Amino acid sequence: MKYLVGDQDNNDNQLTQAIINAKDGDIIELLPGVYFSSTNPFICNIARNITLVGKTTNKNDVRLYCSFTVGNQNIVIFKNMAITYTANEDNTLSAYDGARIYGDNISINRQTSDDWDTIYGKDAYFSFKNSQILTGKKVKAIGLSMEDSQLFADNTSIQLLLQKHSRAYLKDSIIYHKLELRLTSKLNFRNLTVDATESPTKNDLAVKGYSDMNGQDLIFVKENPAIRIVKSKFNVNNFQPMSNEIHFKFDDVSKIEADGKVPFNEGPSDSKK
């Protein structure tokens, strides 16, 4: 069944009722407009397999001030919309217990005074295409934090990605502020850009705790980029700038290859940095 939302004066109530009444497989179509407000955002637990799609090709035409939680192996698809949460102590999107989240041409942001993650996943699966995950104006907040989860991203930008015991595949994507793998995480990529120019952290990329990073075409935007590797594997080909212009620090336990050889080690990696 399809629900059309936004063709009446009470957009907020229409969307609320559509989510409440939706059954597995239903589609909620949203006309261009603003749903809820920055001063009164909507907090919602989605307990069905549903699709929310903006009837536009410009994601900013459909703006939602919401916080969504998805769990219990439910599948939710978001398409053609911008979702922002503006209150403290909630994620803009959280997924648990086998939930699967698919996003296409979406923006997910969190404009608050605290440093909660924009998206948090525990035992969840995320797939993003042509999308943005933002942290407002904050550079230390995490855009996407995953534990025991999986991520596929294509042509997507994420402001700070943190993996804990999680797997990810990134293609033609950008990570802003910092990329960090911890606790036996794995990352495979093709054409990945890391832009830490606005970040105060000392390392653009960190691979720690028996994690594994493999890929081709790794581009750093910040001058004098730094990579820290602790008790992990790192095998990457084709760097920009060249691998001999990147500051590597790693311990004796780690196995490192950059363009097919072990790079110069500037000193034992400090796992606390």
Side-chain angles (χ1 to χ4, degrees):
M1 181 175 178
K2 285 188 178 181
Y3 295 85
L4 181 63
V5 175
D7 59 343
Q8 300 178 16
D9 293 333
N10 56 343
N11 288 357
D12 300 355
N13 185 61
Q14 262 195 303
L15 180 54
T16 301
Q17 292 304 312
I19 293 174
I20 291 173
N21 295 326
K23 306 298 182 184
D24 284 344
D26 285 353
I27 299 173
I28 300 174
E29 296 180 330
L30 291 85
L31 293 173
V34 178
Y35 297 82
F36 305 99
S37 68
S38 59
T39 57
N40 188 27
F42 179 50
I43 300 175
C44 176
N45 181 21
I46 299 179
R48 299 285 188 274
N49 302 319
I50 63 172
T51 298
L52 291 93
V53 55
K55 291 183 69 66
T56 177
T57 57
N58 182 352
K59 59 180 175 290
N60 294 313
D61 287 345
V62 177
R63 290 181 289 160
L64 281 67
Y65 289 95
C66 297
S67 170
F68 292 108
T69 299
V70 185
N72 196 29
Q73 299 184 342
N74 286 303
I75 300 171
V76 178
I77 301 171
F78 298 97
K79 186 174 182 180
N80 303 336
M81 62 182 60
I83 306 169
T84 301
Y85 189 62
T86 51
N88 288 333
E89 299 184 357
D90 268 307
N91 309 107
T92 306
L93 173 62
S94 54
Y96 302 88
D97 302 331
R100 300 178 71 88
I101 305 295
Y102 295 86
D104 185 3
N105 190 35
I106 64 171
S107 171
I108 303 180
N109 200 356
R110 193 170 185 279
Q111 297 178 328
T112 63
S113 60
D114 64 9
D115 285 332
W116 276 50
D117 309 330
T118 299
I119 301 176
Y120 175 77
K122 172 73 173 178
D123 185 25
Y125 174 85
F126 298 95
S127 175
F128 296 109
K129 182 179 179 181
N130 305 321
S131 296
Q132 297 173 301
I133 300 171
L134 308 170
T135 57
K137 296 181 179 180
K138 300 183 292 293
V139 297
K140 291 185 178 181
I142 299 171
L144 174 54
S145 177
M146 302 192 302
E147 295 187 55
D148 303 303
S149 296
Q150 298 180 62
L151 166 68
F152 171 81
D154 182 6
N155 190 34
T156 291
S157 63
I158 303 171
Q159 290 185 340
L160 209 161
L161 171 61
L162 175 62
Q163 295 178 221
K164 294 181 180 179
H165 198 248
S166 296
R167 295 189 176 194
Y169 177 76
L170 308 179
K171 177 177 178 288
D172 300 331
S173 293
I174 302 175
I175 305 298
Y176 290 97
H177 306 328
K178 186 179 180 181
L179 169 60
E180 184 161 338
L181 281 66
R182 299 180 187 173
L183 303 176
T184 66
S185 289
K186 292 187 177 182
L187 171 62
N188 293 88
F189 69 89
R190 181 65 182 265
N191 189 26
L192 175 64
T193 298
V194 178
D195 184 352
T197 52
E198 296 184 5
S199 174
T201 58
K202 293 183 178 180
N203 46 300
D204 305 53
L205 167 62
V207 185
K208 304 176 180 179
Y210 302 99
S211 295
D212 190 349
M213 181 171 177
N214 287 271
Q216 184 171 336
D217 302 324
L218 180 58
I219 302 165
F220 290 98
V221 176
K222 185 178 180 180
E223 291 186 3
N224 302 312
I227 298 176
R228 303 294 183 263
I229 304 169
V230 183
K231 297 180 180 179
S232 296
K233 296 179 181 179
F234 180 90
N235 189 341
V236 174
N237 292 303
N238 196 13
F239 292 81
Q240 183 178 326
M242 301 291 287
S243 58
N244 59 5
E245 299 177 51
I246 297 172
H247 301 278
F248 283 89
K249 281 190 177 182
F250 50 89
D251 56 8
D252 294 336
V253 178
S254 298
K255 296 181 179 180
I256 316 297
E257 282 196 16
D259 289 330
K261 59 184 179 181
V262 178
F264 176 73
N265 187 6
E266 296 190 359
S269 181
D270 185 350
S271 61
K272 295 181 180 180
K273 294 183 179 180

